[in-house]
Amino acid sequence: MSANPSSPPVYADIADAAARLQGQAVRTPLLRNDVLDARLDARIFVKAECLQRTGSFKFRGAFNRISRMNSEEKQSGVLAYSSGNHAQGVAAAARLNGTTAKILMPSDAPRAKVEGVEFWGGEVVDYDRGRDNREEMGRAIADAEGRILVPPYEDPFIIAGQGTAGLEAVEQMAEFGEAPDIVVCCAGGGGLIAGVGLAVKHHHPDAQIWSAEPVGFDDYRRSIASGRRETNERLTGSICDAIITPTPGELTWSINSTQLTDGAAVSDEEALDAMAFAWRHMKIVVEPGGVAALAAVLSGKIDVAGRSVCVLATGGNVDRAVFAQALERL
Amino acid sequence: MSANPSSPPVYADIADAAARLQGQAVRTPLLRNDVLDARLDARIFVKAECLQRTGSFKFRGAFNRISRMNSEEKQSGVLAYSSGNHAQGVAAAARLNGTTAKILMPSDAPRAKVEGVEFWGGEVVDYDRGRDNREEMGRAIADAEGRILVPPYEDPFIIAGQGTAGLEAVEQMAEFGEAPDIVVCCAGGGGLIAGVGLAVKHHHPDAQIWSAEPVGFDDYRRSIASGRRETNERLTGSICDAIITPTPGELTWSINSTQLTDGAAVSDEEALDAMAFAWRHMKIVVEPGGVAALAAVLSGKIDVAGRSVCVLATGGNVDRAVFAQALERL
């Protein structure tokens, strides 16, 4: 480890992460769709991170962080807590870097996500959402076993790793002869949008960066408006489970507060409609949290007419029952 | 038009088609999946033609054929009959080449497919499957209006256009440092597999080319075994509607008979299971006919252990109800 874990990353860290991820992460396609462009009267480019290894962008940051561990650290392994995409990204990155992962997951986590971690040899440690304090449990394990905690977003290597998705999108748009006027990205803790914003702004300083969040969990949208980190009232109650966090991270906010133009908040119904659109017209599987940015443009929350717009579709790990709900809306 | 419409295409025609399709067709991604490779103990590369414009590979051949029309021919337009992917490919290719398309579709064609044709300005002409002879109707319209018939596979430009998918796959595998030992491709009339085989064999003469078909509609598999064009007993009764044809085409068979190694036949259940696998692990939407090749390897019908295998996933235009059936099998 060379970087200071509390210093925000800069563009060079993203370029460095991209070199690390070469041959490990998928250079996911940037998809165009004729129906989408016609409906919005715009040129929309969808960065399909649902096609990333482990089904979401989380692999990028996890791999970048874990690949920096020295051999002594790798002996002890890593630890993470997550019920979803970060868990699978960390488990895969640990295996591919020759170390081990313990993942704290709630005992009611979907079977498919537990299996995703186990496929990569990750050891799942159950906790009870009602009874256990996962942070305390995690700290106890980390202390006892010398494992390094891999946080979901408050880490410069994680942010730089996620930013490689934005760097690729900029390069891929250039192959189409395009530059983004607007970039729309979902925001939970804000690691992805921070890294993507850094990458995009480096090449296109005038590009607008918009966050997309669920209605009622739009802490980023409100924080941009007020200029300080706002907190959501609740921590449950949206179908977009992957992007519900209490408040912007300190480190991520130090970046995002200087880069974000504005935010859009989408309803569960708008997310489901966007999932159905992606299924029907684009032939990709996107989860509710991962489709928030597409939902924001499809529902007209961001004025994109006549513009070149990059939309991130960030993950595809969705339960069958939720997906069926989306299809029923067609 | 320069080529003789009854002469089989050669490799140079595919390279020429690739140049025509530049900037028009999507260079669809070649996807890898860790779960798939682990399950089959092989290196599997899935050419995701479901992500092609109009949702299937059919756009490639249609565009290549229609782009060869002279301005007089374009004044009169084209005609096709198809209830599915070919219809949408022809409608899109006609619009993009500045001509018009009339498409004969059965009156019970799914609404989504009719809308797909209409999106591209194609004029849909209904016929009654029980009462009307669509070939006679088509001939009458073509004669009266001077429209050129765009056949689904018996045409050298169509075959060469479809072959560009195989050419791309070979190039993309080379980027991974790989060459195909085995290529698996669904076969209806056999235009796609003929073109893909030509492209693959040019670069890798020893590669095996396998057809994948529905059980009971495995005319290619049986024709390879007997050495002559066999006919299916029925024309309905498989969920893989996109690849049901009575017998190999004459032109396509003249190519395929020299290139195909063997064929595999998959059941409806195996196709549905492969669709569910692609949804869950790969995050792509594949229709029953389009998933036949993946089903053939997942069900163990082709011995792929230790090999580099290219599998074509050829389309994603599937009805919601059929897709729901697949998800229920998870």
Side-chain angles (χ1 to χ4, degrees):
Chain A
M1 293 289 296
S2 57
N4 179 335
S6 62
S7 293
V10 295
Y11 178 76
D13 296 314
I14 297 173
D16 186 49
R20 291 259 161 173
L21 291 174
Q22 183 85 39
Q24 298 290 345
V26 175
R27 187 177 173 87
T28 54
L30 190 70
L31 305 176
R32 300 206 62 178
N33 183 266
D34 296 295
V35 176
L36 184 58
D37 280 11
R39 188 170 298 183
L40 297 174
D41 186 24
R43 298 177 301 288
I44 312 287
F45 300 82
V46 177
K47 182 67 171 163
E49 278 296 294
C50 49
L51 304 180
Q52 186 53 266
R53 243 171 152 170
T54 72
S56 89
F57 72 94
K58 290 283 189 181
F59 176 77
R60 295 177 184 266
F63 190 95
N64 189 44
R65 173 64 188 85
I66 294 172
S67 74
R68 313 285 168 161
M69 289 166 64
N70 63 35
S71 53
E72 195 183 334
E73 290 170 330
K74 285 183 184 168
Q75 287 286 336
S76 304
V78 300
L79 175 85
Y81 22 78
S82 158
S83 59
N85 293 332
H86 182 56
Q88 295 182 66
V90 168
R95 163 63 67 90
L96 294 166
N97 279 288
T99 186
T100 63
K102 269 196 183 173
I103 314 283
L104 270 74
M105 299 184 84
S107 45
D108 60 353
R111 189 71 215 144
K113 291 183 174 172
V114 173
E115 284 173 8
V117 169
E118 289 173 344
F119 171 80
W120 288 101
E123 189 182 332
V124 174
V125 179
D126 281 343
Y127 70 90
D128 183 305
R129 280 185 203 264
R131 200 187 56 209
D132 299 329
N133 179 321
R134 71 174 188 179
E135 282 75 14
E136 275 177 24
M137 278 180 72
R139 211 153 29 229
I141 295 171
D143 288 348
E145 304 180 13
R147 290 182 182 272
I148 287 182
L149 178 71
V150 181
Y153 48 88
E154 286 287 277
D155 179 291
F157 288 123
I158 298 284
I159 295 169
Q162 321 303 34
T164 60
L167 180 56
E168 287 176 15
V170 164
E171 292 169 353
Q172 291 166 315
M173 283 189 75
E175 290 166 17
F176 283 107
E178 295 270 353
D181 298 315
I182 298 172
V183 175
V184 191
C185 181
C186 60
L192 175 66
I193 196 170
V196 166
L198 275 173
V200 170
K201 289 281 194 182
H202 178 83
H203 291 279
H204 306 291
D206 293 337
Q208 294 186 5
I209 314 289
W210 284 69
S211 62
E213 296 166 302
V215 167
F217 304 87
D218 54 347
D219 48 307
Y220 261 105
R221 191 188 64 73
R222 290 183 294 110
S223 299
I224 299 162
S226 73
R228 59 159 202 245
R229 290 162 67 216
E230 301 288 346
T231 302
N232 295 319
E233 278 179 21
R234 293 172 297 146
L235 268 175
T236 57
S238 161
I239 201 174
C240 302
D241 57 310
I243 54 171
I244 294 182
T245 41
T247 185
E250 267 188 66
L251 185 63
T252 52
W253 178 246
S254 75
I255 300 167
N256 286 322
S257 58
T258 70
Q259 291 185 159
L260 298 192
T261 304
D262 201 348
V266 301
S267 68
D268 281 3
E269 291 70 27
E270 288 164 342
L272 290 167
D273 284 343
M275 287 168 65
F277 183 95
W279 174 84
R280 179 173 168 194
H281 294 290
M282 307 189 68
K283 316 303 179 192
I284 55 173
V285 178
V286 194
E287 64 188 272
V291 91
L294 183 62
V297 297
L298 274 173
S299 63
K301 298 248 158 61
I302 304 173
D303 180 16
V304 297
R307 307 298 196 84
S308 290
V309 183
C310 178
V311 167
L312 282 94
T314 55
N317 295 316
V318 51
D319 288 341
R320 187 180 67 165
V322 174
F323 202 78
Q325 260 185 278
L327 295 191
E328 276 159 23
R329 296 178 62 85
L330 281 172
Chain B
M1 293 289 298
S2 57
N4 180 335
S6 61
S7 294
V10 295
Y11 178 76
D13 297 313
I14 297 173
D16 186 50
R20 291 259 160 174
L21 290 174
Q22 183 85 38
Q24 297 291 343
V26 175
R27 186 176 175 86
T28 54
L30 190 70
L31 305 177
R32 300 205 62 178
N33 184 265
D34 296 295
V35 177
L36 184 58
D37 281 10
R39 189 170 297 184
L40 297 173
D41 186 24
R43 297 176 302 287
I44 312 287
F45 299 82
V46 177
K47 181 67 171 164
E49 278 296 295
C50 49
L51 303 180
Q52 186 53 265
R53 243 172 152 169
T54 72
S56 89
F57 72 94
K58 290 284 189 181
F59 176 77
R60 294 177 184 268
F63 190 94
N64 189 44
R65 173 63 188 85
I66 294 173
S67 73
R68 312 286 168 161
M69 289 165 63
N70 64 34
S71 52
E72 195 184 335
E73 291 170 330
K74 285 183 184 169
Q75 287 288 336
S76 304
V78 299
L79 176 85
Y81 22 79
S82 158
S83 58
N85 292 332
H86 182 56
Q88 295 182 67
V90 168
R95 163 63 67 92
L96 294 166
N97 279 288
T99 186
T100 64
K102 269 196 182 173
I103 314 283
L104 269 74
M105 298 183 85
S107 45
D108 60 352
R111 188 72 216 143
K113 290 181 174 173
V114 173
E115 284 173 8
V117 170
E118 289 173 344
F119 171 80
W120 289 101
E123 189 181 334
V124 174
V125 179
D126 281 344
Y127 71 88
D128 184 305
R129 280 184 202 265
R131 199 188 56 210
D132 299 329
N133 179 320
R134 70 174 188 178
E135 281 75 14
E136 274 177 24
M137 277 181 72
R139 212 155 28 233
I141 295 171
D143 288 349
E145 304 180 12
R147 290 182 182 273
I148 287 182
L149 178 72
V150 180
Y153 46 90
E154 285 288 274
D155 179 291
F157 288 123
I158 297 285
I159 295 170
Q162 321 302 34
T164 59
L167 179 56
E168 286 176 13
V170 165
E171 293 168 352
Q172 290 166 315
M173 283 189 75
E175 291 166 15
F176 283 108
E178 295 271 352
D181 298 314
I182 300 171
V183 175
V184 191
C185 181
C186 60
L192 176 66
I193 196 170
V196 166
L198 275 173
V200 170
K201 289 281 195 184
H202 178 83
H203 291 279
H204 307 290
D206 294 337
Q208 294 187 7
I209 314 289
W210 284 68
S211 63
E213 296 167 303
V215 167
F217 304 87
D218 55 347
D219 48 307
Y220 261 105
R221 191 188 63 74
R222 291 183 293 110
S223 299
I224 299 162
S226 73
R228 58 158 203 247
R229 291 162 67 216
E230 301 288 347
T231 302
N232 296 319
E233 279 179 21
R234 293 172 298 148
L235 268 175
T236 57
S238 161
I239 200 173
C240 303
D241 57 309
I243 56 171
I244 295 182
T245 42
T247 185
E250 267 188 66
L251 184 63
T252 52
W253 178 246
S254 75
I255 301 168
N256 286 322
S257 58
T258 70
Q259 291 185 159
L260 298 192
T261 304
D262 201 347
V266 300
S267 68
D268 281 3
E269 290 70 26
E270 288 163 341
L272 289 167
D273 284 344
M275 287 168 64
F277 182 95
W279 174 85
R280 178 172 169 194
H281 294 291
M282 308 188 68
K283 316 303 179 191
I284 55 173
V285 179
V286 194
E287 64 187 272
V291 90
L294 183 61
V297 297
L298 275 173
S299 63
K301 298 248 158 61
I302 304 173
D303 180 15
V304 296
R307 307 297 195 85
S308 290
V309 183
C310 179
V311 168
L312 282 94
T314 55
N317 295 317
V318 52
D319 288 341
R320 186 180 67 164
V322 174
F323 202 78
Q325 260 185 278
L327 295 192
E328 277 160 21
R329 296 178 63 83
L330 281 172

